[in-house]
Amino acid sequence: MNSGVFPEEVILQILARLPVKSVFRSKCVCTLWYKLCSDKYFVRLYNQVWVKKPVVLIEVTDSLECKSSLICVDNLRGVSELSLDFLKDRVKVRASCNGLLCCSSIPDKGVYYVINPETREYRLLPKSRERPVTRFYPDGEATLIGLACDLSGQKYNVVLAGNHRCFGQRPEKMFICLVFDSESNKWRKFVSLQDEQFTHMNKNQVVFLNGSLHWLTASCSCVLALDLDGEVWKKIKLPDEVGYGSGNRVYLLDYDGCLSVIQISDALMNIWVLKDYEMGEWNLVDRVSLQCIRGLVPGVFPISQTGEYVFFATYKQVLVYRRNGGVWKEMYSVKGSFTLPLWFSAHAFRRSLFSCH
């Protein structure tokens, strides 16, 4: 069908490349555009376009007003701000996946939301346990929090996993895993044995692909993967050349739909990609000199990447490294006082029209 000057497919392709706010404004142009933007085909098209354009999302807390805002740093569109005031609660971002965020309430422990900060939709998750987490009842505290959003199936899972711990005792090896299913609106539980430890950055950098959530262990001995369908934990061996310690730091990221580890030393950054997921075959795809930012190297942390660029967070800056030209650029800098380093609250993020409901 031809609608005036352009065919509908051309209009869809143009609209699919607009920011979310512009898409909502476009719905008010005419009845045809409203129908086009509301169609499931358009939603899938929009998500497919923007999933290839990861950005960095940073939580910035106003200590005076006791509220958080989200700073979105985009390689192409620059810096913008997203508000979470529609939640009517103070929250902390715990995980990010394909346009959705999993947030935990700061004043109410055990309360979780799944939100789309672009569309301002949110969903309050049912309680995962009858008895709230306190120092007297700490069993099964969430060490790992993951969010798995399936764009093709338009469904998602939230994972809370932690070691069982009785009051006054150290955590046991019994690993309790709770999985929320968006379709059934229920939690399911299974127990396994795990004795791995995780740093703060390991917990933040969870990667969802191939139906599994992936975390890097603190020892950097392996990647711990949770198969959501089979409810099975498995370990993925890292490249032999990747070692932790002696000035090396290792991080887990997504790389255009593949699992990737970035190894940073005093002078070099090596980027590895898991090309064959089943066989565990890693390829070294890039080696970058860090001489241009050598003064920042001890406090620089990779947050998000594609085949074209890598985003980094430092104490007060967000940097981007453009791989084609080998150029570094500052994208964002905190003004005024800020207590926590930016990398402490930085997350990889992708814009989408993914619905929480």
Side-chain angles (χ1 to χ4, degrees):
M1 176 182 174
N2 192 304
S3 57
V5 181
F6 298 111
E8 285 187 9
E9 183 59 33
V10 175
I11 296 175
L12 285 169
Q13 292 292 338
I14 294 173
L15 293 174
R17 283 155 177 80
L18 296 177
V20 173
K21 287 183 179 179
S22 298
V23 170
F24 278 90
R25 292 192 187 105
S26 299
K27 286 185 175 184
C28 302
V29 172
C30 61
T31 303
L32 174 64
W33 283 26
Y34 180 85
K35 290 181 179 179
L36 290 177
C37 293
S38 304
D39 191 78
K40 290 182 179 179
Y41 171 77
F42 174 76
V43 173
R44 288 196 297 270
L45 176 64
Y46 190 94
N47 293 342
Q48 288 171 3
V49 169
W50 287 91
V51 75
K52 301 172 184 176
K53 302 176 181 180
V55 299
V56 171
L57 208 62
I58 299 171
E59 292 178 273
V60 178
T61 302
D62 189 324
S63 58
L64 296 178
E65 298 185 21
C66 294
K67 67 177 184 178
S68 297
S69 60
L70 300 177
I71 302 297
C72 185
V73 184
D74 189 318
N75 182 45
L76 298 175
R77 300 178 181 275
V79 179
S80 58
E81 186 173 348
L82 296 172
S83 174
L84 298 181
D85 57 1
F86 57 92
L87 276 179
K88 308 301 180 186
D89 192 2
R90 288 200 305 128
V91 297
K92 177 175 176 55
V93 177
R94 306 303 298 269
S96 167
C97 184
N98 289 336
L100 296 187
L101 301 176
C102 177
C103 301
S104 62
S105 172
I106 294 175
D108 298 318
K109 282 191 175 182
V111 174
Y112 292 91
Y113 301 89
V114 171
I115 70 170
N116 186 326
E118 294 275 6
T119 63
R120 296 172 67 85
E121 284 186 344
Y122 74 93
R123 181 175 183 173
L124 174 62
L125 301 188
K127 289 185 178 180
S128 59
R129 48 187 287 163
E130 294 181 1
R131 190 167 57 188
V133 176
T134 67
R135 65 190 184 95
F136 298 107
Y137 300 108
D139 56 300
E141 288 177 277
T143 303
L144 302 178
I145 298 178
L147 179 61
C149 300
D150 180 4
L151 287 176
S152 59
Q154 286 292 296
K155 59 182 181 179
Y156 59 87
N157 297 107
V158 175
V159 172
L160 309 178
N163 291 97
H164 178 80
R165 178 165 68 92
C166 297
F167 175 59
Q169 298 183 15
R170 292 185 177 182
E172 302 173 4
K173 290 186 178 181
M174 187 169 67
F175 209 56
I176 300 173
C177 188
L178 298 170
V179 181
F180 173 79
D181 184 272
S182 62
E183 292 183 316
S184 66
N185 197 41
K186 293 180 180 179
W187 294 88
R188 63 181 188 269
K189 175 181 177 180
F190 66 95
V191 180
S192 60
L193 296 178
Q194 293 290 342
D195 196 25
E196 298 290 350
Q197 302 296 318
F198 304 89
T199 67
H200 175 82
M201 289 300 291
N202 295 156
K203 296 174 187 177
N204 266 9
Q205 295 185 320
V206 52
V207 177
F208 174 64
L209 54 86
N210 291 344
S212 299
L213 288 166
H214 304 77
W215 288 271
L216 184 67
T217 59
S219 62
C220 293
S221 58
C222 67
V223 174
L224 193 63
L226 172 61
D227 182 337
L228 291 168
D229 290 331
E231 297 185 348
V232 175
W233 292 92
K234 61 180 179 180
K235 295 182 179 181
I236 300 175
K237 190 175 182 296
L238 294 180
D240 294 333
E241 296 85 348
V242 174
Y244 190 74
S246 302
N248 289 329
R249 293 178 284 132
V250 185
Y251 304 94
L252 184 71
L253 280 79
D254 178 278
Y255 183 102
D256 293 340
C258 295
L259 204 62
S260 171
V261 290
I262 293 183
Q263 181 184 30
I264 294 180
S265 63
D266 291 337
L268 286 174
M269 174 176 69
N270 294 327
I271 302 177
W272 297 81
V273 173
L274 186 60
K275 288 296 185 182
D276 192 323
Y277 189 85
E278 298 301 325
M279 299 299 294
E281 180 184 334
W282 294 86
N283 290 349
L284 179 64
V285 296
D286 205 354
R287 177 167 287 170
V288 181
S289 171
L290 300 178
Q291 289 300 315
C292 292
I293 60 163
R294 58 181 179 270
L296 298 174
V297 170
V300 69
F301 297 81
I303 303 299
S304 178
Q305 68 171 338
T306 69
E308 299 178 0
Y309 54 85
V310 187
F311 273 116
F312 297 84
T314 67
Y315 192 86
K316 285 194 172 186
Q317 299 165 295
V318 174
L319 308 175
V320 64
Y321 171 73
R322 297 195 172 100
R323 296 177 59 193
N324 290 337
V327 177
W328 293 84
K329 182 181 178 181
E330 179 185 288
M331 296 294 296
Y332 173 73
S333 179
V334 174
K335 308 302 180 188
S337 60
F338 190 71
T339 54
L340 295 176
L342 286 187
W343 52 259
F344 196 81
S345 57
H347 301 267
F349 182 70
R350 289 172 169 82
R351 294 184 172 92
S352 80
L353 294 175
F354 202 120
S355 176
C356 307
H357 303 291

